[in-house]
Amino acid sequence: MSKTNGAVRLTPADLEKVSVDELMRATRSLRQKSTYFTNWAGSYRCRARAIFKPNTERQVQQVVELTRRQQETLRCYGTGHSPSDLACTDGFMLNLDNMQEVLDIDQQSNVVTVQGGIKLHRLHPILERNGLAMSVMGSISDQSIAGAISTATHGTGIRFGNISTYVRSMTLVLADASIVTIDREHDAPLFMASLCGLGLTGVIIRVALQCEPMFHLRERVVEYDYSEMMGNLEASLDDKDRSTKGSLLEDNEHVKIHWFPHVDKALVTTMNRTREDRTPPPSTWAAIQARAIGYHWHQFGLFVATFLPLLLGYHAMIMWRFAFALPKDDHSKQPVSTRVGTPPEIFNMDCLFPQYTFEGVVPIENTADVLRELAQWYKEEDVKSGGLTHHFPVEIRFVEQDDIWLSPTYRMRGAYIGIMQYRPYGFPVPYKKLFASFEQLLVRHGGRSHWAKSHRTNKPALHKMYEHLDDFLEVRERVDPDNIFVNPYTRRHLFADVGEEVDMRRFKQNV
């Protein structure tokens, strides 16, 4: 046996001596009573042969070795926030919720080493107490760090990459149950594959994450008509206009846009680092009012519109008037809202209730063309008899390019564009045709789908999008020749397998 920072690990020699019966006894207490997994949206559900929840790195090794000996498959999951079947399997599943410790904080380099199962919402306050913060984060912080890395989870900011770009090293349990620590200098191919590895290269048990000194963000939200927003965005993307008028994207650290197609309005949010103090939270009464309208009335309105689609536009107008429209600023005479808060307070948002979502990234220079085509398509569907209904808002975020092999922003500074179909009270709503058409629109403009979503990108298409796809598959074959970490999702997209076993409807939850 060996020890690393006090953690007892099994060596290859130890593993050879252990029998299957001993492995089964050693992992018996880690088995969960329920063998069912359902993702957060309630859209996919699977029944695993067993679900394990280890407490130590040694126990992770034992579960992986048991999987190998019994010729099973193993998929890891965290919060299950992916709205696809990315985690689903009928083999073994592994959850690292009992491995959420911060192992080291290097105040000199601002690099923080954590266990792979730590949830981001648990990490943030620990970082803050130590004067640190993550440089960027997504719309939520419910994910585990391992899950966020595995799908290249992103935030927004034209000079900020996805979360995987901040990983300095990681430690994996490979398919042979050995443990390796990798970075750009030690097994760089495996590192580049694992930074967006979809769970295929091993179990991520440790991550060294680059952070920065703690900061506050000043958020400024400005209300625009759709045409005004498009004008500002196009000026940001045009070199000539940018030099004379400034740039929304370049002049601000973080920018996101929420577009409300039914009312031709948009909210443009800029977020920049500041030394200002936090804005006091809203009063209890204001918070209750916002919740009553923004959550409960919104959910009820969407539920009614599921059966009476013609009411969706009226619901959108009501929601805009009472939940989203901003008060006019006394100085600029323009609807504006400002506040100052910590990174989680500003970056994160309430995702409300379960939803189907689809998101992809397009080259940033194509953003305006995509939005114009999307707007035209929405208008055509709105007036068409039996046209596709679409919920609101459309979210647009901007991310710097990177060199991670399967990252959607590989060598492409991009704009992520996301649409959603809420599931009021858990009730299913139509979404498949809408998402399929939207995905095709993105692809026509050089887009790539977010790996966590239920996309339809096949292996030939992936080859055109990702020049290192063969390198990724070669590394995966090297570290997992017995296909322990594969599942229907990865077989469907990366192995070009077809048939009922890998169909995306196999684990579809029937509500």
Side-chain angles (χ1 to χ4, degrees):
M1 295 185 187
S2 65
K3 285 190 177 183
T4 303
N5 291 342
V8 179
R9 296 173 174 176
L10 294 167
T11 66
D14 296 327
L15 292 167
E16 285 182 10
K17 298 174 185 176
V18 180
S19 69
V20 172
D21 287 342
E22 289 174 314
L23 287 170
M24 293 185 69
R25 285 196 296 271
T27 57
R28 185 173 294 131
S29 63
L30 310 180
R31 289 180 179 240
Q32 303 303 293
K33 290 183 179 179
S34 174
T35 59
Y36 287 98
F37 164 80
T38 305
N39 67 348
W40 177 80
S43 52
Y44 284 91
R45 189 173 193 247
C46 67
R47 183 177 185 179
R49 181 179 170 189
I51 297 178
F52 298 92
K53 191 177 283 190
N55 304 293
T56 66
E57 295 176 355
R58 173 192 171 100
Q59 290 175 342
V60 175
Q61 287 182 283
Q62 291 170 331
V63 172
V64 172
E65 181 66 8
L66 178 65
T67 305
R68 187 181 70 83
R69 298 275 191 94
Q70 295 197 331
Q71 299 181 333
E72 271 291 351
T73 58
L74 179 69
R75 292 296 288 175
C76 297
Y77 73 94
T79 307
H81 210 273
S82 169
S84 71
D85 59 335
L86 177 60
C88 291
T89 180
D90 51 13
F92 291 158
M93 298 189 80
L94 185 73
N95 178 267
L96 298 181
D97 279 359
N98 291 341
M99 298 177 66
Q100 297 200 52
E101 296 302 314
V102 174
L103 302 173
D104 182 67
I105 298 177
D106 187 332
Q107 297 285 1
Q108 296 267 314
S109 63
N110 297 332
V111 172
V112 178
T113 303
V114 299
Q115 290 185 306
I118 194 167
K119 298 294 194 294
L120 297 182
H121 64 73
R122 177 186 173 104
L123 176 59
H124 297 324
I126 298 174
L127 292 178
E128 185 174 354
R129 288 197 296 271
N130 286 274
L132 297 172
M134 291 177 63
S135 298
V136 70
M137 57 191 74
S139 296
I140 61 167
S141 287
D142 297 327
Q143 314 100 313
S144 67
I145 188 63
I149 292 167
S150 296
T151 56
T153 295
H154 66 92
T156 189
I158 202 62
R159 295 184 295 278
F160 294 81
N162 57 54
I163 291 176
S164 298
T165 64
Y166 293 89
V167 175
R168 294 296 165 258
S169 69
M170 67 175 78
T171 302
L172 304 176
V173 176
L174 302 181
D176 64 357
S178 64
I179 293 181
V180 296
T181 297
I182 54 177
D183 56 29
R184 288 180 179 266
E185 295 181 353
H186 302 88
D187 203 342
L190 179 56
F191 184 65
M192 300 309 292
S194 300
L195 285 173
C196 181
L198 310 178
L200 285 171
T201 59
V203 181
I204 301 174
I205 55 174
R206 294 189 183 197
V207 175
L209 190 68
Q210 183 68 58
C211 297
E212 65 174 280
M214 180 61 190
F215 58 92
H216 284 172
L217 286 167
R218 186 175 192 272
E219 176 191 77
R220 186 172 188 264
V221 187
V222 183
E223 177 186 317
Y224 290 103
D225 291 332
Y226 168 74
S227 57
E228 274 186 289
M229 179 273 289
M230 287 294 291
N232 286 339
L233 181 59
E234 288 176 305
S236 292
L237 301 174
D238 185 275
D239 290 334
K240 191 178 294 184
D241 282 352
R242 188 163 62 237
S243 62
T244 58
K245 301 178 183 177
S247 169
L248 169 69
L249 302 182
E250 296 285 357
D251 294 348
N252 294 283
E253 294 174 325
H254 309 275
V255 178
K256 66 180 175 181
I257 300 171
H258 287 119
W259 166 37
F260 298 79
H262 301 84
V263 294
D264 280 332
K265 294 286 187 178
L267 298 178
V268 177
T269 302
T270 58
M271 297 158 280
N272 294 286
R273 284 157 180 73
T274 181
R275 295 182 180 275
E276 297 175 71
D277 292 333
R278 291 172 63 225
T279 303
S283 67
T284 302
W285 176 241
I288 291 173
Q289 283 183 306
R291 186 69 174 175
I293 298 171
Y295 185 94
H296 295 292
W297 173 256
H298 191 22
Q299 184 166 214
F300 176 72
L302 290 175
F303 179 75
V304 173
T306 301
F307 303 97
L308 300 171
L310 290 176
L311 295 181
L312 183 60
Y314 296 103
H315 175 64
M317 287 188 284
I318 293 172
M319 288 303 299
W320 176 260
R321 172 68 179 82
F322 294 102
F324 299 113
L326 302 176
K328 284 193 175 181
D329 183 76
D330 292 335
H331 300 291
S332 66
K333 303 302 181 182
Q334 189 173 26
V336 174
S337 171
T338 60
R339 63 174 177 146
V340 174
T342 63
E345 290 172 335
I346 302 298
F347 283 138
N348 289 168
M349 59 180 283
D350 186 352
C351 285
L352 302 178
F353 28 91
Q355 58 202 239
Y356 305 111
T357 64
F358 188 89
E359 185 181 40
V361 61
V362 296
I364 195 165
E365 61 271 18
N366 295 347
T367 309
D369 290 338
V370 172
L371 294 180
R372 275 195 295 267
E373 189 171 333
L374 182 59
Q376 181 60 36
W377 175 48
Y378 274 168
K379 287 178 181 177
E380 292 171 359
E381 292 297 328
D382 287 343
V383 299
K384 185 189 301 181
S385 176
L388 300 174
T389 58
H390 50 95
H391 292 171
F392 53 89
V394 175
E395 184 176 51
I396 305 106
R397 292 178 285 174
F398 308 90
V399 178
E400 180 61 288
Q401 64 180 332
D402 55 68
D403 62 352
I404 298 168
W405 287 355
L406 291 192
S407 167
T409 44
Y410 174 78
R411 293 190 177 177
M412 184 180 79
R413 183 179 262 195
Y416 274 93
I417 304 174
I419 62 174
M420 70 190 78
Q421 292 290 90
Y422 284 109
R423 299 182 58 208
Y425 309 114
F427 196 83
V429 297
Y431 73 95
K432 293 178 183 177
K433 291 182 180 179
L434 179 71
F435 286 7
S437 297
F438 179 61
E439 183 177 9
Q440 291 169 10
L441 188 160
L442 298 181
V443 171
R444 286 198 301 273
H445 291 273
R448 301 167 180 163
S449 299
H450 193 309
W451 286 107
K453 314 306 181 186
S454 288
H455 60 94
R456 297 176 182 272
T457 316
N458 57 25
K459 189 176 181 181
L462 290 174
H463 263 295
K464 296 178 182 178
M465 297 175 183
Y466 298 100
E467 63 180 82
H468 284 289
L469 179 61
D470 285 337
D471 296 321
F472 176 90
L473 294 173
E474 185 178 315
V475 168
R476 191 216 66 81
E477 176 69 22
R478 166 165 67 88
V479 296
D480 184 17
D482 297 321
N483 296 333
I484 284 175
F485 296 122
V486 304
N487 74 331
Y489 172 100
T490 54
R491 287 173 57 194
R492 182 171 69 243
H493 294 296
L494 297 174
F495 295 71
D497 289 357
V498 295
E500 291 184 5
E501 279 193 3
V502 299
D503 194 283
M504 65 191 308
R505 294 168 295 185
R506 178 179 174 185
F507 298 115
K508 194 68 183 169
Q509 171 78 318
N510 295 315
V511 182

